[in-house]
Amino acid sequence: MPPNHWPIRFVLAPPGRLEQAPGNMSLAPRALAQLSAQVEAIVASTPIHDIHTHLYDPAFGKLLLWGIDDLLVYHYLVAEAFRYLDLPFEKFWTLDKPRQAELIWDALFIQHSPISEACRGVVTTLNALGLDVQKRDLPALREWFAQWKPEDYLNRCFELAGVRSVCMTNSPFDEVERATWEAGFVRDERFHAALRIDPLLLAWGDVAPILTFWGYTASVSVTDRTVSQVRRFLADWTRKIQARYLMVSLGPEFDFPSASSSARLLEKAVLPHCREFGLPMALMMGVKRQVNPQLQMAGDGVGLSKLGALERLCAEFPENKFVVTVLARENQYELCVLARKFRNLHVFGCWWFTNVPGLLDEITRMRLELIGLSVTPQHSDARVLDQLIYKWRHSRKVIGQVLAEKYADLARSGWRPSEGEIQRDVQLLFGGAFEQFCER
Ligand code: FIX
Ligand code: ZN
């Protein structure tokens, strides 16, 4: 059930009341300020469908992370804390979660001001929840969180973030997650499923015997029989979880066409499966996994993707839909240009290291200028429920400012958007364009 009210209510200026400067078509500064306030208010209050998160339906129990300790041990903060900590990596990983959280709190919030985006996010979140961050009192914060029941807290976070629904990341290769799907449960309709298939495409040599063990007899060489077994596996899991799309993250080395098992399985099994079920294939391109394995989940980096591979996929498989984000800043422009060429390509999100205000501003601006409203400028990638609050508050702010400038430019050219038109456009940016793309 979506929350029945949103945290921020605005009184919007009635449409058609923007003032024109006398004697020409340009708007008076007061009218421009009014327009900008109207746009930012609509952006701040439009409910969001968050198309990629690592959050779980509450039925998954402990897999749904929330609370101060989980906020603090977020891998973005682990990487930042090690900039200051002298502790050996191995020692850190032997500590329990509360102790790790204390070390991170001390390094990033007490010994230094929490300036970085991920640190500021914790502060924004606590502040939005009504906690006094000024006290810098971790035990008091822990006590406050301990009073909550997960289901009430879930509603509170969705409400404060203005999120109507989220897409999970669901891996049949995760033993804990798999057991819950196998056992069955009553779905919370706010949580949509996405079938994540990284191991299948990226570690086929290890996965073939696992599929065989699960009853899908597959060999390491990509034979016709193997392809049909992989398709049967994908079909079973797509139905079981009611997947809205399939998804993989790819390293900079990914190429297409290629003799690699990734490229061959994608072409022969995954894309035909997506066509059969009418589902998009999401590609998250440009992650260099485990650049520093000592950092564990915090140890992944970035590399430049070969977008020629994506160009060929879009061109050769017009019946497939691709939903794509790229991690490298240097790939963003090429991706936008590709989206102008291929309507089976939907661009989404400022992923991970690009989810910082400066890059979100730059990338959102470029996307709006090149592909208009046929884009999903942001997803949260939240791993901890409470992060929905800051990730969306911060993103809404930047997206609102960029959009307000774009409407102001239009208004200066004589095109004044009505309130309804702005609402329609913002709904597209916050999940509507993605939903329309999926239905095409
Ligand atoms: O591959 C992904 O979905 C990434 O988002 C994650 O692997 C990454 O750890 C992350 O949380 C980035 O925001
Ligand atoms: Zn992710």
Side-chain angles (χ1 to χ4, degrees):
M1 268 169 305
N4 54 12
H5 67 281
W6 303 105
I8 318 154
R9 289 197 184 275
F10 295 90
V11 180
L12 302 175
R17 276 196 38 213
L18 299 178
E19 292 166 37
Q20 233 162 36
N24 63 38
M25 286 301 288
S26 67
L27 287 176
R30 199 154 70 94
L32 282 176
Q34 236 176 38
L35 173 62
S36 162
Q38 186 183 36
V39 173
E40 287 177 22
I42 291 172
V43 167
S45 58
T46 300
I48 288 170
H49 171 53
D50 190 342
I51 76 167
H52 171 58
T53 75
H54 296 265
L55 302 177
Y56 286 91
D57 183 311
F60 286 84
K62 289 202 175 336
L63 286 186
L64 175 61
L65 304 177
W66 61 278
I68 186 65
D69 283 357
D70 279 310
L71 283 172
L72 289 172
V73 300
Y74 185 33
H75 68 80
Y76 289 28
L77 294 185
V78 169
E80 292 174 29
F82 270 109
R83 307 280 310 147
Y84 302 121
L85 294 175
D86 288 326
L87 186 77
F89 294 104
E90 325 75 76
K91 177 85 179 88
F92 180 84
W93 297 118
T94 62
L95 304 173
D96 61 14
K97 190 195 291 180
R99 186 65 196 127
Q100 290 178 352
E102 282 155 18
L103 285 176
I104 292 172
W105 172 257
D106 186 62
L108 298 181
F109 294 81
I110 303 302
Q111 302 301 328
H112 305 87
S113 295
I115 295 284
S116 77
E117 173 62 11
C119 285
R120 181 172 67 102
V122 175
V123 176
T124 300
T125 302
L126 298 175
N127 191 40
L129 288 163
L131 290 155
D132 184 358
V133 280
Q134 201 48 35
K135 287 195 181 130
R136 293 147 169 72
D137 184 349
L138 182 56
L141 293 172
R142 282 176 166 158
E143 267 175 44
W144 184 87
F145 279 96
Q147 297 164 5
W148 280 93
K149 285 205 202 96
E151 31 325 340
D152 297 336
Y153 192 62
L154 173 68
N155 294 337
R156 185 73 183 132
C157 288
F158 269 54
E159 187 182 24
L160 285 173
V163 165
R164 62 180 161 94
S165 48
V166 301
C167 207
M168 305 179 275
T169 298
N170 302 107
S171 174
F173 302 99
D174 178 305
E175 280 311 316
V176 185
E177 182 174 346
R178 188 183 162 81
T180 308
W181 286 116
E182 300 282 19
F185 58 94
V186 179
R187 298 279 292 261
D188 180 325
E189 288 182 357
R190 290 170 295 184
F191 288 78
H192 300 183
L195 182 55
R196 184 77 181 235
I197 54 169
D198 287 34
L200 192 145
L201 286 181
L202 306 176
W204 176 242
D206 300 332
V207 164
I210 297 175
L211 285 197
T212 301
F213 179 70
W214 288 340
Y216 305 90
T217 312
S219 59
V220 173
S221 58
V222 183
T223 59
D224 288 351
R225 177 169 167 79
T226 291
V227 165
S228 74
Q229 294 298 303
V230 171
R231 286 191 63 176
R232 191 163 67 81
F233 169 75
L234 294 173
D236 286 350
W237 276 89
T238 295
R239 289 196 193 98
K240 189 189 289 289
I241 72 174
Q242 294 163 31
R244 304 293 177 108
Y245 60 87
L246 278 80
M247 179 175 223
V248 68
S249 69
L250 297 168
E253 70 291 340
F254 175 77
D255 211 347
F256 189 90
S258 142
S260 68
S261 50
S262 319
R264 296 185 58 218
L265 283 165
L266 183 66
E267 176 180 356
K268 305 280 181 219
V270 178
L271 294 183
H273 168 77
C274 289
R275 291 196 292 273
E276 183 187 339
F277 283 75
L279 297 177
M281 179 69 211
L283 307 176
M284 302 185 82
M285 304 183 76
V287 56
K288 232 188 215 175
R289 295 285 180 199
Q290 295 298 279
V291 167
N292 182 356
Q294 289 182 301
L295 280 168
Q296 299 196 3
M297 197 192 267
D300 298 338
V302 57
L304 201 62
S305 294
K306 295 173 195 154
L307 290 194
L310 178 61
E311 182 182 316
R312 290 184 284 278
L313 283 169
C314 291
E316 281 174 38
F317 303 101
E319 303 302 319
N320 277 100
K321 293 180 271 192
F322 298 94
V323 180
V324 179
T325 194
V326 285
L327 195 51
R329 181 188 189 184
E330 299 81 351
N331 275 140
Q332 303 293 338
Y333 171 67
E334 197 179 348
L335 179 64
C336 280
V337 175
L338 270 184
R340 293 178 63 88
K341 308 299 133 193
F342 296 103
R343 62 184 162 163
N344 59 339
L345 169 58
H346 184 84
V347 172
F348 82 100
C350 284
W351 180 24
W352 205 337
F353 316 112
T354 62
N355 186 3
V356 291
L359 292 182
L360 179 59
D361 179 282
E362 169 186 301
I363 295 167
T364 302
R365 201 173 286 278
M366 176 164 46
R367 288 170 174 175
L368 292 180
E369 288 168 4
L370 281 167
I371 48 178
L373 298 159
S374 64
V375 63
T376 303
Q378 191 56 305
H379 67 277
S380 77
D381 233 309
R383 281 183 179 269
V384 183
L385 177 61
D386 333 36
Q387 290 170 343
L388 286 176
I389 301 171
Y390 93 78
K391 298 228 185 201
W392 282 114
R393 288 200 176 197
H394 292 188
S395 293
R396 279 187 206 261
K397 178 111 177 74
V398 177
I399 294 167
Q401 283 164 352
V402 175
L403 202 54
E405 271 185 46
K406 294 293 148 207
Y407 285 122
D409 288 346
L410 267 182
R412 282 189 204 93
S413 304
W415 182 285
R416 290 192 230 150
S418 70
E419 183 184 342
E421 286 170 334
I422 300 171
Q423 279 167 344
R424 172 204 61 197
D425 296 349
V426 174
Q427 278 161 12
L428 284 174
L429 295 177
F430 285 165
F434 171 75
E435 287 166 332
Q436 284 180 4
F437 180 79
C438 292
E439 277 156 24
R440 253 155 96 169

